[in-house]
Amino acid sequence: MTLPTPESRLEQATALLSQVIDVVYREGNRRYSAPYLMLQDIRDVLTRQEGGAETALKDAAEMFPMLYSAPRDGFSEFHVTQCDPDQRAEENRKFSAMVDDLRAALYG
């Protein structure tokens, strides 16, 4: 089994982060504006050119826990809203898996 390279992890993290940002934006809940802005900051770190993939991943990984540091309305409270309870559960399961995959890509 080949371990992922920093470049492939960076590519995966960038793609996943874009998807996470899109979901948070679509929900449109203003109480998540701080995590939304932090996600955009992390995206900016991942897409910068200087320092290479390893540096970008390291710097983004250092920022990631800040999403969860707020005492209220932090990213840990984010959820996808849907009228149908089964659909809501499925969408939130997918979102949680996406965030877990993003975390794994950042931390290697």
Side-chain angles (χ1 to χ4, degrees):
M1 181 173 111
T2 304
L3 294 175
T5 64
E7 291 77 15
S8 67
R9 286 179 39 226
L10 179 62
E11 185 178 321
Q12 180 185 21
T14 303
L16 287 164
L17 186 58
S18 291
Q19 293 172 15
V20 169
I21 289 170
D22 288 345
V23 171
V24 173
Y25 179 79
R26 273 195 316 266
E27 283 301 304
N29 190 330
R30 290 185 57 160
R31 68 185 251 196
Y32 299 115
S33 59
Y36 176 73
L37 293 173
M38 177 62 71
L39 289 165
Q40 290 181 323
D41 289 344
I42 294 171
R43 181 189 56 202
D44 291 347
V45 166
L46 289 176
T47 58
R48 71 178 179 213
Q49 298 299 314
E50 73 271 357
E54 287 184 43
T55 300
L57 288 165
K58 180 182 137 314
D59 292 349
E62 288 175 0
M63 296 172 71
F64 194 78
M66 290 187 274
L67 287 166
Y68 298 93
S69 64
R72 291 186 308 163
D73 299 334
F75 195 57
S76 62
E77 296 179 15
F78 179 81
H79 60 277
V80 178
T81 55
Q82 295 284 332
C83 292
D84 179 79
D86 292 333
Q87 185 179 3
R88 180 175 54 241
E90 179 62 17
E91 290 296 319
N92 281 293
R93 185 198 60 73
K94 287 179 185 177
F95 184 78
S96 292
M98 193 181 339
V99 172
D100 290 344
D101 290 345
L102 171 59
R103 183 181 290 110
L106 290 176
Y107 291 100

mmCIF file of all heavy atoms in Angstrom, residues 27-71:
data_model
loop_
_atom_site.group_PDB
_atom_site.id
_atom_site.type_symbol
_atom_site.label_atom_id
_atom_site.label_comp_id
_atom_site.label_asym_id
_atom_site.label_seq_id
_atom_site.Cartn_x
_atom_site.Cartn_y
_atom_site.Cartn_z
ATOM 1 N N GLU A 27 -26.490 26.362 3.963
ATOM 2 C CA GLU A 27 -27.353 26.386 5.150
ATOM 3 C C GLU A 27 -27.734 27.822 5.511
ATOM 4 O O GLU A 27 -28.821 28.055 6.012
ATOM 5 C CB GLU A 27 -26.671 25.686 6.326
ATOM 6 C CG GLU A 27 -26.704 24.193 6.222
ATOM 7 C CD GLU A 27 -28.112 23.637 6.139
ATOM 8 O OE1 GLU A 27 -28.939 23.898 7.031
ATOM 9 O OE2 GLU A 27 -28.389 22.935 5.142
ATOM 10 N N GLY A 28 -26.846 28.760 5.271
ATOM 11 C CA GLY A 28 -27.170 30.171 5.422
ATOM 12 C C GLY A 28 -27.480 30.634 6.830
ATOM 13 O O GLY A 28 -28.070 31.693 7.020
ATOM 14 N N ASN A 29 -27.103 29.878 7.829
ATOM 15 C CA ASN A 29 -27.379 30.272 9.207
ATOM 16 C C ASN A 29 -26.283 31.228 9.678
ATOM 17 O O ASN A 29 -25.115 30.865 9.767
ATOM 18 C CB ASN A 29 -27.425 29.017 10.090
ATOM 19 C CG ASN A 29 -27.947 29.315 11.473
ATOM 20 O OD1 ASN A 29 -27.773 30.409 11.993
ATOM 21 N ND2 ASN A 29 -28.585 28.325 12.063
ATOM 22 N N ARG A 30 -26.682 32.443 10.016
ATOM 23 C CA ARG A 30 -25.711 33.473 10.392
ATOM 24 C C ARG A 30 -24.924 33.129 11.636
ATOM 25 O O ARG A 30 -23.823 33.629 11.838
ATOM 26 C CB ARG A 30 -26.420 34.806 10.574
ATOM 27 C CG ARG A 30 -26.908 35.361 9.254
ATOM 28 C CD ARG A 30 -27.478 36.696 9.431
ATOM 29 N NE ARG A 30 -26.449 37.551 10.042
ATOM 30 C CZ ARG A 30 -26.455 38.847 10.011
ATOM 31 N NH1 ARG A 30 -27.418 39.470 9.409
ATOM 32 N NH2 ARG A 30 -25.519 39.538 10.586
ATOM 33 N N ARG A 31 -25.459 32.262 12.478
ATOM 34 C CA ARG A 31 -24.716 31.936 13.695
ATOM 35 C C ARG A 31 -23.441 31.152 13.386
ATOM 36 O O ARG A 31 -22.576 31.017 14.229
ATOM 37 C CB ARG A 31 -25.593 31.210 14.709
ATOM 38 C CG ARG A 31 -26.024 29.849 14.321
ATOM 39 C CD ARG A 31 -26.961 29.293 15.343
ATOM 40 N NE ARG A 31 -26.297 28.233 16.078
ATOM 41 C CZ ARG A 31 -26.916 27.367 16.802
ATOM 42 N NH1 ARG A 31 -28.212 27.423 16.939
ATOM 43 N NH2 ARG A 31 -26.254 26.418 17.420
ATOM 44 N N TYR A 32 -23.334 30.639 12.165
ATOM 45 C CA TYR A 32 -22.125 29.918 11.770
ATOM 46 C C TYR A 32 -21.217 30.760 10.884
ATOM 47 O O TYR A 32 -20.359 30.225 10.189
ATOM 48 C CB TYR A 32 -22.493 28.610 11.070
ATOM 49 C CG TYR A 32 -23.272 27.694 11.975
ATOM 50 C CD1 TYR A 32 -24.589 27.369 11.693
ATOM 51 C CD2 TYR A 32 -22.705 27.180 13.138
ATOM 52 C CE1 TYR A 32 -25.316 26.547 12.538
ATOM 53 C CE2 TYR A 32 -23.430 26.367 13.984
ATOM 54 C CZ TYR A 32 -24.725 26.053 13.682
ATOM 55 O OH TYR A 32 -25.445 25.246 14.523
ATOM 56 N N SER A 33 -21.384 32.071 10.936
ATOM 57 C CA SER A 33 -20.554 32.929 10.092
ATOM 58 C C SER A 33 -19.085 32.892 10.514
ATOM 59 O O SER A 33 -18.199 32.914 9.655
ATOM 60 C CB SER A 33 -21.077 34.359 10.074
ATOM 61 O OG SER A 33 -21.095 34.903 11.378
ATOM 62 N N ALA A 34 -18.803 32.784 11.805
ATOM 63 C CA ALA A 34 -17.398 32.715 12.244
ATOM 64 C C ALA A 34 -16.730 31.433 11.744
ATOM 65 O O ALA A 34 -15.640 31.507 11.167
ATOM 66 C CB ALA A 34 -17.300 32.842 13.762
ATOM 67 N N PRO A 35 -17.342 30.251 11.929
ATOM 68 C CA PRO A 35 -16.715 29.057 11.349
ATOM 69 C C PRO A 35 -16.607 29.124 9.822
ATOM 70 O O PRO A 35 -15.626 28.653 9.253
ATOM 71 C CB PRO A 35 -17.634 27.911 11.784
ATOM 72 C CG PRO A 35 -18.308 28.405 13.002
ATOM 73 C CD PRO A 35 -18.459 29.881 12.792
ATOM 74 N N TYR A 36 -17.599 29.716 9.176
ATOM 75 C CA TYR A 36 -17.553 29.854 7.723
ATOM 76 C C TYR A 36 -16.331 30.667 7.297
ATOM 77 O O TYR A 36 -15.594 30.282 6.387
ATOM 78 C CB TYR A 36 -18.845 30.504 7.226
ATOM 79 C CG TYR A 36 -18.871 30.780 5.748
ATOM 80 C CD1 TYR A 36 -19.020 29.740 4.838
ATOM 81 C CD2 TYR A 36 -18.738 32.071 5.262
ATOM 82 C CE1 TYR A 36 -19.053 29.977 3.475
ATOM 83 C CE2 TYR A 36 -18.765 32.323 3.900
ATOM 84 C CZ TYR A 36 -18.917 31.273 3.013
ATOM 85 O OH TYR A 36 -18.938 31.518 1.665
ATOM 86 N N LEU A 37 -16.087 31.764 7.984
ATOM 87 C CA LEU A 37 -14.928 32.600 7.669
ATOM 88 C C LEU A 37 -13.623 31.870 7.979
ATOM 89 O O LEU A 37 -12.653 31.976 7.222
ATOM 90 C CB LEU A 37 -15.002 33.927 8.425
ATOM 91 C CG LEU A 37 -16.148 34.853 8.005
ATOM 92 C CD1 LEU A 37 -16.225 36.059 8.935
ATOM 93 C CD2 LEU A 37 -15.992 35.278 6.559
ATOM 94 N N MET A 38 -13.602 31.103 9.064
ATOM 95 C CA MET A 38 -12.406 30.334 9.408
ATOM 96 C C MET A 38 -12.140 29.262 8.347
ATOM 97 O O MET A 38 -10.989 29.028 7.963
ATOM 98 C CB MET A 38 -12.562 29.687 10.777
ATOM 99 C CG MET A 38 -11.388 28.804 11.171
ATOM 100 S SD MET A 38 -9.804 29.655 11.302
ATOM 101 C CE MET A 38 -10.069 30.595 12.775
ATOM 102 N N LEU A 39 -13.190 28.622 7.855
ATOM 103 C CA LEU A 39 -13.032 27.634 6.784
ATOM 104 C C LEU A 39 -12.424 28.284 5.541
ATOM 105 O O LEU A 39 -11.564 27.699 4.880
ATOM 106 C CB LEU A 39 -14.374 26.993 6.444
ATOM 107 C CG LEU A 39 -14.938 26.029 7.490
ATOM 108 C CD1 LEU A 39 -16.413 25.757 7.220
ATOM 109 C CD2 LEU A 39 -14.137 24.738 7.520
ATOM 110 N N GLN A 40 -12.864 29.496 5.241
ATOM 111 C CA GLN A 40 -12.287 30.208 4.095
ATOM 112 C C GLN A 40 -10.817 30.542 4.341
ATOM 113 O O GLN A 40 -9.996 30.466 3.427
ATOM 114 C CB GLN A 40 -13.081 31.473 3.798
ATOM 115 C CG GLN A 40 -14.446 31.179 3.234
ATOM 116 C CD GLN A 40 -15.200 32.449 2.914
ATOM 117 O OE1 GLN A 40 -15.115 33.443 3.612
ATOM 118 N NE2 GLN A 40 -15.948 32.403 1.832
ATOM 119 N N ASP A 41 -10.467 30.895 5.578
ATOM 120 C CA ASP A 41 -9.069 31.162 5.913
ATOM 121 C C ASP A 41 -8.220 29.901 5.732
ATOM 122 O O ASP A 41 -7.102 29.970 5.211
ATOM 123 C CB ASP A 41 -8.931 31.667 7.350
ATOM 124 C CG ASP A 41 -9.455 33.076 7.540
ATOM 125 O OD1 ASP A 41 -9.652 33.799 6.535
ATOM 126 O OD2 ASP A 41 -9.683 33.464 8.710
ATOM 127 N N ILE A 42 -8.756 28.764 6.155
ATOM 128 C CA ILE A 42 -8.035 27.507 5.987
ATOM 129 C C ILE A 42 -7.858 27.200 4.503
ATOM 130 O O ILE A 42 -6.787 26.763 4.071
ATOM 131 C CB ILE A 42 -8.756 26.361 6.732
ATOM 132 C CG1 ILE A 42 -8.711 26.607 8.245
ATOM 133 C CG2 ILE A 42 -8.144 25.008 6.377
ATOM 134 C CD1 ILE A 42 -9.582 25.665 9.060
ATOM 135 N N ARG A 43 -8.904 27.454 3.717
ATOM 136 C CA ARG A 43 -8.792 27.254 2.262
ATOM 137 C C ARG A 43 -7.688 28.137 1.679
ATOM 138 O O ARG A 43 -6.907 27.692 0.835
ATOM 139 C CB ARG A 43 -10.128 27.555 1.578
ATOM 140 C CG ARG A 43 -10.053 27.337 0.058
ATOM 141 C CD ARG A 43 -11.264 27.827 -0.650
ATOM 142 N NE ARG A 43 -11.478 29.240 -0.334
ATOM 143 C CZ ARG A 43 -12.643 29.856 -0.435
ATOM 144 N NH1 ARG A 43 -13.713 29.214 -0.852
ATOM 145 N NH2 ARG A 43 -12.771 31.127 -0.144
ATOM 146 N N ASP A 44 -7.613 29.373 2.133
ATOM 147 C CA ASP A 44 -6.566 30.273 1.645
ATOM 148 C C ASP A 44 -5.179 29.732 1.967
ATOM 149 O O ASP A 44 -4.267 29.825 1.148
ATOM 150 C CB ASP A 44 -6.733 31.668 2.248
ATOM 151 C CG ASP A 44 -7.961 32.400 1.734
ATOM 152 O OD1 ASP A 44 -8.558 31.954 0.729
ATOM 153 O OD2 ASP A 44 -8.349 33.409 2.369
ATOM 154 N N VAL A 45 -5.020 29.160 3.150
ATOM 155 C CA VAL A 45 -3.737 28.575 3.536
ATOM 156 C C VAL A 45 -3.410 27.386 2.640
ATOM 157 O O VAL A 45 -2.271 27.215 2.209
ATOM 158 C CB VAL A 45 -3.754 28.165 5.029
ATOM 159 C CG1 VAL A 45 -2.588 27.262 5.373
ATOM 160 C CG2 VAL A 45 -3.750 29.402 5.912
ATOM 161 N N LEU A 46 -4.406 26.556 2.359
ATOM 162 C CA LEU A 46 -4.171 25.374 1.528
ATOM 163 C C LEU A 46 -3.839 25.734 0.081
ATOM 164 O O LEU A 46 -3.132 24.983 -0.588
ATOM 165 C CB LEU A 46 -5.391 24.446 1.545
ATOM 166 C CG LEU A 46 -5.652 23.685 2.838
ATOM 167 C CD1 LEU A 46 -6.943 22.895 2.734
ATOM 168 C CD2 LEU A 46 -4.480 22.769 3.180
ATOM 169 N N THR A 47 -4.335 26.843 -0.400
ATOM 170 C CA THR A 47 -4.147 27.179 -1.809
ATOM 171 C C THR A 47 -2.997 28.151 -2.065
ATOM 172 O O THR A 47 -2.729 28.469 -3.220
ATOM 173 C CB THR A 47 -5.441 27.758 -2.414
ATOM 174 O OG1 THR A 47 -5.841 28.910 -1.671
ATOM 175 C CG2 THR A 47 -6.555 26.726 -2.395
ATOM 176 N N ARG A 48 -2.333 28.583 -1.018
ATOM 177 C CA ARG A 48 -1.198 29.485 -1.246
ATOM 178 C C ARG A 48 -0.064 28.704 -1.887
ATOM 179 O O ARG A 48 0.042 27.494 -1.765
ATOM 180 C CB ARG A 48 -0.760 30.149 0.046
ATOM 181 C CG ARG A 48 -0.094 29.211 0.994
ATOM 182 C CD ARG A 48 0.374 29.920 2.235
ATOM 183 N NE ARG A 48 0.987 28.957 3.130
ATOM 184 C CZ ARG A 48 0.936 29.030 4.425
ATOM 185 N NH1 ARG A 48 0.314 30.025 5.003
ATOM 186 N NH2 ARG A 48 1.530 28.119 5.158
ATOM 187 N N GLN A 49 0.787 29.386 -2.555
ATOM 188 C CA GLN A 49 1.834 28.744 -3.350
ATOM 189 C C GLN A 49 3.153 28.579 -2.596
ATOM 190 O O GLN A 49 3.875 27.632 -2.852
ATOM 191 C CB GLN A 49 2.067 29.546 -4.630
ATOM 192 C CG GLN A 49 0.864 29.623 -5.529
ATOM 193 C CD GLN A 49 0.413 28.251 -6.009
ATOM 194 O OE1 GLN A 49 1.231 27.451 -6.435
ATOM 195 N NE2 GLN A 49 -0.874 27.971 -5.905
ATOM 196 N N GLU A 50 3.462 29.469 -1.684
ATOM 197 C CA GLU A 50 4.773 29.400 -1.037
ATOM 198 C C GLU A 50 4.795 28.316 0.040
ATOM 199 O O GLU A 50 3.798 28.020 0.658
ATOM 200 C CB GLU A 50 5.167 30.763 -0.438
ATOM 201 C CG GLU A 50 4.407 31.163 0.800
ATOM 202 C CD GLU A 50 3.134 31.933 0.546
ATOM 203 O OE1 GLU A 50 2.810 32.234 -0.606
ATOM 204 O OE2 GLU A 50 2.448 32.222 1.524
ATOM 205 N N GLY A 51 5.965 27.701 0.187
ATOM 206 C CA GLY A 51 6.148 26.725 1.249
ATOM 207 C C GLY A 51 5.861 25.284 0.884
ATOM 208 O O GLY A 51 6.259 24.383 1.590
ATOM 209 N N GLY A 52 5.122 25.050 -0.171
ATOM 210 C CA GLY A 52 4.842 23.696 -0.604
ATOM 211 C C GLY A 52 3.706 23.021 0.151
ATOM 212 O O GLY A 52 3.103 23.582 1.073
ATOM 213 N N ALA A 53 3.414 21.800 -0.261
ATOM 214 C CA ALA A 53 2.265 21.050 0.257
ATOM 215 C C ALA A 53 2.393 20.752 1.744
ATOM 216 O O ALA A 53 1.428 20.888 2.505
ATOM 217 C CB ALA A 53 2.085 19.761 -0.538
ATOM 218 N N GLU A 54 3.556 20.327 2.182
ATOM 219 C CA GLU A 54 3.732 19.975 3.596
ATOM 220 C C GLU A 54 3.483 21.170 4.506
ATOM 221 O O GLU A 54 2.824 21.040 5.537
ATOM 222 C CB GLU A 54 5.127 19.411 3.834
ATOM 223 C CG GLU A 54 5.306 18.014 3.285
ATOM 224 C CD GLU A 54 6.662 17.430 3.623
ATOM 225 O OE1 GLU A 54 7.118 17.590 4.775
ATOM 226 O OE2 GLU A 54 7.254 16.803 2.731
ATOM 227 N N THR A 55 4.005 22.314 4.131
ATOM 228 C CA THR A 55 3.806 23.522 4.930
ATOM 229 C C THR A 55 2.343 23.932 4.954
ATOM 230 O O THR A 55 1.802 24.271 6.012
ATOM 231 C CB THR A 55 4.673 24.678 4.385
ATOM 232 O OG1 THR A 55 6.044 24.287 4.457
ATOM 233 C CG2 THR A 55 4.466 25.950 5.177
ATOM 234 N N ALA A 56 1.688 23.883 3.803
ATOM 235 C CA ALA A 56 0.271 24.254 3.738
ATOM 236 C C ALA A 56 -0.567 23.327 4.613
ATOM 237 O O ALA A 56 -1.441 23.786 5.363
ATOM 238 C CB ALA A 56 -0.224 24.218 2.294
ATOM 239 N N LEU A 57 -0.308 22.027 4.536
ATOM 240 C CA LEU A 57 -1.056 21.067 5.354
ATOM 241 C C LEU A 57 -0.802 21.290 6.840
ATOM 242 O O LEU A 57 -1.731 21.257 7.650
ATOM 243 C CB LEU A 57 -0.690 19.635 4.968
ATOM 244 C CG LEU A 57 -1.214 19.160 3.623
ATOM 245 C CD1 LEU A 57 -0.491 17.892 3.185
ATOM 246 C CD2 LEU A 57 -2.723 18.934 3.679
ATOM 247 N N LYS A 58 0.440 21.511 7.206
ATOM 248 C CA LYS A 58 0.795 21.746 8.606
ATOM 249 C C LYS A 58 0.104 22.999 9.135
ATOM 250 O O LYS A 58 -0.504 22.983 10.209
ATOM 251 C CB LYS A 58 2.313 21.873 8.750
ATOM 252 C CG LYS A 58 2.794 22.126 10.161
ATOM 253 C CD LYS A 58 4.306 22.285 10.157
ATOM 254 C CE LYS A 58 4.836 23.380 10.989
ATOM 255 N NZ LYS A 58 4.321 24.670 11.005
ATOM 256 N N ASP A 59 0.166 24.077 8.376
ATOM 257 C CA ASP A 59 -0.445 25.332 8.811
ATOM 258 C C ASP A 59 -1.968 25.210 8.896
ATOM 259 O O ASP A 59 -2.588 25.706 9.845
ATOM 260 C CB ASP A 59 -0.060 26.470 7.868
ATOM 261 C CG ASP A 59 1.420 26.828 7.955
ATOM 262 O OD1 ASP A 59 2.115 26.356 8.885
ATOM 263 O OD2 ASP A 59 1.893 27.568 7.073
ATOM 264 N N ALA A 60 -2.575 24.547 7.924
ATOM 265 C CA ALA A 60 -4.032 24.352 7.953
ATOM 266 C C ALA A 60 -4.441 23.456 9.120
ATOM 267 O O ALA A 60 -5.455 23.710 9.777
ATOM 268 C CB ALA A 60 -4.508 23.765 6.632
ATOM 269 N N ALA A 61 -3.642 22.423 9.391
ATOM 270 C CA ALA A 61 -3.938 21.522 10.510
ATOM 271 C C ALA A 61 -3.860 22.259 11.842
ATOM 272 O O ALA A 61 -4.631 21.965 12.767
ATOM 273 C CB ALA A 61 -2.977 20.337 10.496
ATOM 274 N N GLU A 62 -2.970 23.227 11.943
ATOM 275 C CA GLU A 62 -2.880 24.023 13.169
ATOM 276 C C GLU A 62 -4.103 24.920 13.343
ATOM 277 O O GLU A 62 -4.509 25.226 14.464
ATOM 278 C CB GLU A 62 -1.605 24.858 13.163
ATOM 279 C CG GLU A 62 -0.351 24.037 13.359
ATOM 280 C CD GLU A 62 0.918 24.847 13.228
ATOM 281 O OE1 GLU A 62 0.858 26.079 12.971
ATOM 282 O OE2 GLU A 62 2.001 24.242 13.362
ATOM 283 N N MET A 63 -4.712 25.350 12.250
ATOM 284 C CA MET A 63 -5.889 26.220 12.308
ATOM 285 C C MET A 63 -7.182 25.437 12.573
ATOM 286 O O MET A 63 -8.119 25.976 13.154
ATOM 287 C CB MET A 63 -6.036 26.988 10.990
ATOM 288 C CG MET A 63 -4.913 27.945 10.697
ATOM 289 S SD MET A 63 -5.041 28.643 9.037
ATOM 290 C CE MET A 63 -6.455 29.730 9.238
ATOM 291 N N PHE A 64 -7.222 24.188 12.129
ATOM 292 C CA PHE A 64 -8.454 23.396 12.163
ATOM 293 C C PHE A 64 -9.098 23.327 13.554
ATOM 294 O O PHE A 64 -10.318 23.505 13.671
ATOM 295 C CB PHE A 64 -8.181 21.994 11.608
ATOM 296 C CG PHE A 64 -9.419 21.216 11.300
ATOM 297 C CD1 PHE A 64 -10.144 21.461 10.147
ATOM 298 C CD2 PHE A 64 -9.858 20.237 12.169
ATOM 299 C CE1 PHE A 64 -11.290 20.740 9.866
ATOM 300 C CE2 PHE A 64 -11.001 19.510 11.897
ATOM 301 C CZ PHE A 64 -11.718 19.765 10.732
ATOM 302 N N PRO A 65 -8.349 23.106 14.639
ATOM 303 C CA PRO A 65 -8.991 23.035 15.951
ATOM 304 C C PRO A 65 -9.690 24.329 16.377
ATOM 305 O O PRO A 65 -10.605 24.303 17.202
ATOM 306 C CB PRO A 65 -7.839 22.700 16.907
ATOM 307 C CG PRO A 65 -6.786 22.102 16.055
ATOM 308 C CD PRO A 65 -6.933 22.747 14.705
ATOM 309 N N MET A 66 -9.274 25.451 15.809
ATOM 310 C CA MET A 66 -9.910 26.728 16.160
ATOM 311 C C MET A 66 -11.383 26.763 15.755
ATOM 312 O O MET A 66 -12.162 27.526 16.309
ATOM 313 C CB MET A 66 -9.146 27.891 15.539
ATOM 314 C CG MET A 66 -7.797 28.104 16.189
ATOM 315 S SD MET A 66 -6.972 29.603 15.610
ATOM 316 C CE MET A 66 -6.161 28.977 14.154
ATOM 317 N N LEU A 67 -11.767 25.921 14.797
ATOM 318 C CA LEU A 67 -13.175 25.840 14.418
ATOM 319 C C LEU A 67 -14.035 25.383 15.590
ATOM 320 O O LEU A 67 -15.213 25.702 15.672
ATOM 321 C CB LEU A 67 -13.363 24.840 13.265
ATOM 322 C CG LEU A 67 -12.894 25.273 11.900
ATOM 323 C CD1 LEU A 67 -12.827 24.071 10.971
ATOM 324 C CD2 LEU A 67 -13.828 26.323 11.345
ATOM 325 N N TYR A 68 -13.446 24.629 16.483
ATOM 326 C CA TYR A 68 -14.183 24.015 17.581
ATOM 327 C C TYR A 68 -13.938 24.695 18.917
ATOM 328 O O TYR A 68 -14.403 24.216 19.940
ATOM 329 C CB TYR A 68 -13.797 22.532 17.680
ATOM 330 C CG TYR A 68 -14.165 21.760 16.446
ATOM 331 C CD1 TYR A 68 -13.244 21.585 15.417
ATOM 332 C CD2 TYR A 68 -15.436 21.238 16.296
ATOM 333 C CE1 TYR A 68 -13.592 20.890 14.266
ATOM 334 C CE2 TYR A 68 -15.790 20.546 15.154
ATOM 335 C CZ TYR A 68 -14.862 20.377 14.150
ATOM 336 O OH TYR A 68 -15.207 19.698 13.022
ATOM 337 N N SER A 69 -13.233 25.802 18.925
ATOM 338 C CA SER A 69 -12.853 26.431 20.190
ATOM 339 C C SER A 69 -13.897 27.382 20.761
ATOM 340 O O SER A 69 -13.812 27.741 21.931
ATOM 341 C CB SER A 69 -11.525 27.168 20.024
ATOM 342 O OG SER A 69 -11.670 28.236 19.103
ATOM 343 N N ALA A 70 -14.867 27.780 19.976
ATOM 344 C CA ALA A 70 -15.879 28.718 20.470
ATOM 345 C C ALA A 70 -16.773 28.028 21.509
ATOM 346 O O ALA A 70 -17.153 26.877 21.327
ATOM 347 C CB ALA A 70 -16.736 29.230 19.324
ATOM 348 N N PRO A 71 -17.095 28.733 22.574
ATOM 349 C CA PRO A 71 -17.941 28.104 23.597
ATOM 350 C C PRO A 71 -19.373 27.840 23.119
ATOM 351 O O PRO A 71 -20.000 26.894 23.553
ATOM 352 C CB PRO A 71 -17.921 29.104 24.740
ATOM 353 C CG PRO A 71 -17.541 30.401 24.117
ATOM 354 C CD PRO A 71 -16.702 30.073 22.919
#
